[in-house]
Amino acid sequence: MTNFWLQFKHPIEPVERVNVVHFNDMHENIDNIDSFITGRDEFYKSHPNDTNLTLAAGDLFNRFPQNERIVSNFIKDYVDASAPGNRDLEKGKRFSKAMKKYGIEDKFVGTNVYYDGENPLKNQLSEVKIVNGVGIIGLSPVDFKVRIKKKSNKNIKTKPLEETLQTVRNEVKNLESQGVNKIFILAHTGELSGHEINDPHDIDYYKEFSKIGGIDVIIGGHDHKKTDRWETSERNEPVKIVSTGWGGNEKFGANLDSFGEMSLIFDKNGVLKKDLCKNEFHKSSEYQKTPYTEQFPQHWINWGKLTEKTVTGLYKIKRKLSDNN
């Protein structure tokens, strides 16, 4: 039996648990959706009385429409928020139409996205989002200019790093003024700015974001690099950084073949208790498939506009259809 007087003298500090399923760079591939749903649901069921979130760090779509209906409904039913990745934004008008058609306009948070003229995405992306008391900031690539295709989404831009950092600081201040003390960044920026030949710099984006006081968790994407580390903010508070991707000899197919599960423990002030937090990566193939995607017939599209190089999974479907004819 607990000693009442001992408990009164040394009260147990109140804590709060937030559980997060996270993934990135799905690229409109549906091969692993059914298995992912099983793994996600099992994780949720193991924490029935906690706050459970599913968060993505961008590139859920691609520039091809074959799986748009399935992916859009998946986002609507199973994803709480996502940053808009460069491949999402490259869909242009089709990205805008999909959000309206499938009711997922409130899912994408583009905090550092702006427009230089008219664009169908104007007023569609949220600047910030609050889900179950957690503030969500979403960042698209700061090197977006060298990423996007010339004929893709016009008049859409992202703020450079220094402006992005200031924007994040401003949004943290706004969220905290509303009483939000748990703030996540969904960063489709990659870890290092020098991971592409077009950008020779070597800036650790995640480290720069983590310095901002008030940020608790950074879920990354874009460079397909597996990450699980801690940083410390300018308030001397721990910041958790995770991303699915390549790690060692582990391959990453950018098709939801892996995801992470975080159990995060916060103190009464919304500061992570580092020694009690945990993140684990899982292969989607470890779980049985649900019949989720079966309810959505595949789109029929003009196969002549695609090549074997564009979407490997799509080409396999095409070849299978040809073999059956």
Side-chain angles (χ1 to χ4, degrees), residues 21-300:
V21 176
H22 63 90
F23 67 97
N24 50 274
D25 296 277
M26 178 178 168
H27 293 175
E28 211 161 13
N29 191 297
I30 65 171
D31 293 348
N32 293 298
I33 284 180
D34 291 327
S35 299
F36 168 84
I37 290 173
T38 301
R40 171 197 179 271
D41 288 352
E42 286 184 8
F43 185 61
Y44 274 31
K45 289 175 182 177
S46 67
H47 303 284
N49 300 317
D50 300 327
T51 296
N52 295 309
L53 299 174
T54 300
L55 302 174
D59 274 6
L60 306 192
F61 289 102
N62 208 322
R63 287 175 288 121
F64 307 104
Q66 70 276 6
N67 295 325
E68 183 179 279
R69 181 183 179 190
I70 295 175
V71 172
S72 297
N73 278 282
F74 165 71
I75 294 169
K76 181 179 180 180
D77 295 337
Y78 291 98
V79 179
D80 291 297
S82 176
N86 50 294
R87 292 188 182 273
D88 301 315
L89 296 174
E90 281 177 358
K91 285 176 70 72
K93 291 182 179 179
R94 288 196 291 106
F95 184 38
S96 173
K97 289 180 178 178
M99 285 198 287
K100 290 179 180 178
K101 181 177 180 180
Y102 298 104
I104 55 175
E105 291 178 281
D106 66 332
K107 300 291 187 179
F108 288 88
V109 187
T111 309
N112 68 334
V113 175
Y114 72 100
Y115 309 91
D116 184 18
E118 291 302 312
N119 185 281
L121 286 175
K122 259 188 176 181
N123 303 317
Q124 281 193 279
L125 300 177
S126 302
E127 292 185 9
V128 292
K129 182 178 174 69
I130 301 175
V131 186
N132 293 341
V134 177
I136 306 294
I137 292 172
L139 302 180
S140 296
V142 294
D143 60 349
F144 184 69
K145 185 176 180 180
V146 300
R147 297 291 182 155
I148 198 165
K149 308 302 178 184
K150 293 181 179 179
K151 294 182 180 180
S152 295
N153 215 338
K154 294 182 179 179
N155 299 327
I156 191 165
K157 297 182 178 180
T158 58
K159 297 176 182 179
L161 179 60
E162 289 305 317
E163 289 185 36
T164 293
L165 291 171
Q166 187 56 52
T167 297
V168 173
R169 287 185 181 276
N170 293 341
E171 295 299 348
V172 168
K173 185 177 180 179
N174 291 336
L175 286 166
E176 290 184 330
S177 70
Q178 300 175 58
V180 178
N181 64 6
K182 303 176 197 63
I183 302 176
F184 293 12
I185 292 180
L186 308 179
H188 193 81
T189 60
E191 180 180 30
L192 300 176
S193 62
H195 68 271
E196 282 293 329
I197 193 170
N198 294 323
D199 188 354
H201 303 290
D202 193 24
I203 301 170
D204 187 334
Y205 290 140
Y206 299 159
K207 190 176 183 67
E208 293 300 311
F209 301 145
S210 68
K211 291 178 183 178
I212 299 172
I215 299 300
D216 298 295
V217 177
I218 298 171
I219 298 173
H222 186 47
D223 58 1
H224 304 177
K225 182 180 177 182
K226 189 175 183 178
T227 304
D228 186 354
R229 69 188 233 224
W230 289 93
E231 290 288 348
T232 303
S233 77
E234 61 193 15
R235 297 181 187 175
N236 199 31
E237 296 172 350
V239 181
K240 184 65 170 174
I241 304 172
V242 294
S243 177
T244 61
W246 289 295
N249 295 323
E250 186 175 337
K251 295 182 178 180
F252 177 67
N255 59 1
L256 199 57
D257 58 358
S258 63
F259 63 93
E261 295 177 344
M262 280 192 292
S263 292
L264 303 169
I265 307 297
F266 294 85
D267 68 17
K268 63 181 180 180
N269 297 313
V271 178
L272 284 170
K273 297 179 76 66
K274 183 176 177 180
D275 57 330
L276 298 180
C277 296
K278 183 174 66 173
N279 176 71
E280 293 182 346
F281 294 105
H282 296 275
K283 290 288 186 182
S284 297
S285 58
E286 297 171 5
Y287 300 92
Q288 292 185 342
K289 293 185 176 182
T290 69
Y292 182 79
T293 59
E294 294 179 5
Q295 62 185 302
F296 306 109
Q298 286 278 0
H299 284 196
W300 289 98

Side-chain angles (χ1 to χ4, degrees), residues 289-314:
K289 293 185 176 182
T290 69
Y292 182 79
T293 59
E294 294 179 5
Q295 62 185 302
F296 306 109
Q298 286 278 0
H299 284 196
W300 289 98
I301 62 175
N302 185 350
W303 298 103
K305 293 182 179 180
L306 300 174
T307 67
E308 183 177 358
K309 288 184 177 181
T310 51
V311 182
T312 303
L314 179 61

